[in-house]
Amino acid sequence: TQGFGPLSLDNTGIWSNWSEIIPNKLIFLEKICEYGIIEQRLRQRLLLAIDKNSEIIICSKPYLLHGDYNLDNILVDNAQNVTGILDMEHCLSGDPVYDLALFDYYYSAHNLIEHLIRGYSSLDITTARRKILFYRTLIAVGKLAWKHESGHFLDTIEPSVNSLERQIKELLCED
């Protein structure tokens, strides 16, 4: 693909670089603050964590990303071969680790991400894990806004905020 971010009608990304994902996701940070989901203290810590780690997401070559990568969107046959990918309306152009982070957001309790990382032979595992943590943090902010706005999974907001706090702590290298 060419360009980064959401795709235009000519299938090129509308951003000039991948780091534009940060201000795009920070829109959701302001929303969850407005909704009273997180306090200003946590907002400030998240902004500090983003600032301290933003260089890790530099991406010079854009790849086609699914944008909603989860098991519900993967078709497999009886032999467990992937036969198709569904639900591409959220596709974008950028860092393939973002899709891994999205998958990990949904399935972190199953520890599947290590298997996926190993499937990308060009990835440095340590860097990939750090990027996944960074992207998962951005994804979590957006998901919190979505949960509030849609009224879905409202009972998971508090545990999601607690998870977000742990991720910020890890990004800031605090014990």
Side-chain angles (χ1 to χ4, degrees):
T1 62
Q2 293 182 337
F4 295 89
L7 300 178
S8 64
L9 292 176
D10 66 353
N11 290 324
T12 59
I14 63 171
W15 302 334
S16 60
N17 63 67
W18 179 240
S19 63
E20 290 183 53
I21 193 169
I22 295 172
N24 181 270
K25 295 295 181 182
L26 289 181
I27 293 167
F28 299 111
L29 177 60
E30 299 313 315
K31 286 183 175 188
I32 64 175
C33 286
E34 275 178 38
Y35 301 150
I37 295 172
I38 66 168
E39 297 174 3
Q40 284 298 317
R41 178 195 61 79
L42 187 57
R43 177 187 176 276
Q44 289 305 114
R45 288 178 47 74
L46 176 57
L47 291 173
L48 178 62
I50 288 170
D51 188 54
K52 280 184 73 173
N53 291 276
S54 61
E55 80 286 343
I56 199 165
I57 68 162
I58 293 171
C59 177
S60 59
K61 182 180 178 190
Y63 292 84
L64 181 63
L65 309 180
H66 186 276
D68 191 20
Y69 195 55
N70 67 73
L71 294 176
D72 291 334
N73 292 328
I74 302 170
L75 296 176
V76 293
D77 63 17
N78 291 337
Q80 299 302 303
N81 297 307
V82 174
T83 59
I85 304 292
L86 303 174
D87 193 19
M88 295 294 291
E89 74 260 16
H90 300 289
C91 69
L92 60 158
S93 181
D95 184 354
V97 178
Y98 184 81
D99 264 352
L100 295 179
L102 190 56
F103 188 88
D104 192 49
Y105 175 84
Y106 291 120
Y107 304 107
S108 61
H110 302 289
N111 296 316
L112 299 173
I113 197 64
E114 293 300 318
H115 300 289
L116 289 172
I117 291 172
R118 277 187 240 119
Y120 284 83
S121 59
S122 64
L123 287 180
D124 170 71
I125 291 176
T126 304
T127 302
R129 285 186 185 126
R130 192 89 184 145
K131 280 181 157 187
I132 287 169
L133 176 63
F134 184 87
Y135 290 140
R136 274 193 56 164
T137 304
L138 293 178
I139 290 164
V141 168
K143 294 295 182 185
L144 280 167
W146 176 83
K147 288 174 183 182
H148 177 83
E149 291 169 354
S150 69
H152 296 299
F153 308 106
L154 293 176
D155 59 325
T156 67
I157 287 180
E158 185 177 342
S160 295
V161 171
N162 294 337
S163 178
L164 179 63
E165 287 185 87
R166 286 190 302 275
Q167 288 173 218
I168 292 168
K169 191 174 183 177
E170 192 173 343
L171 282 170
L172 292 172
C173 301
E174 299 173 349
D175 292 324

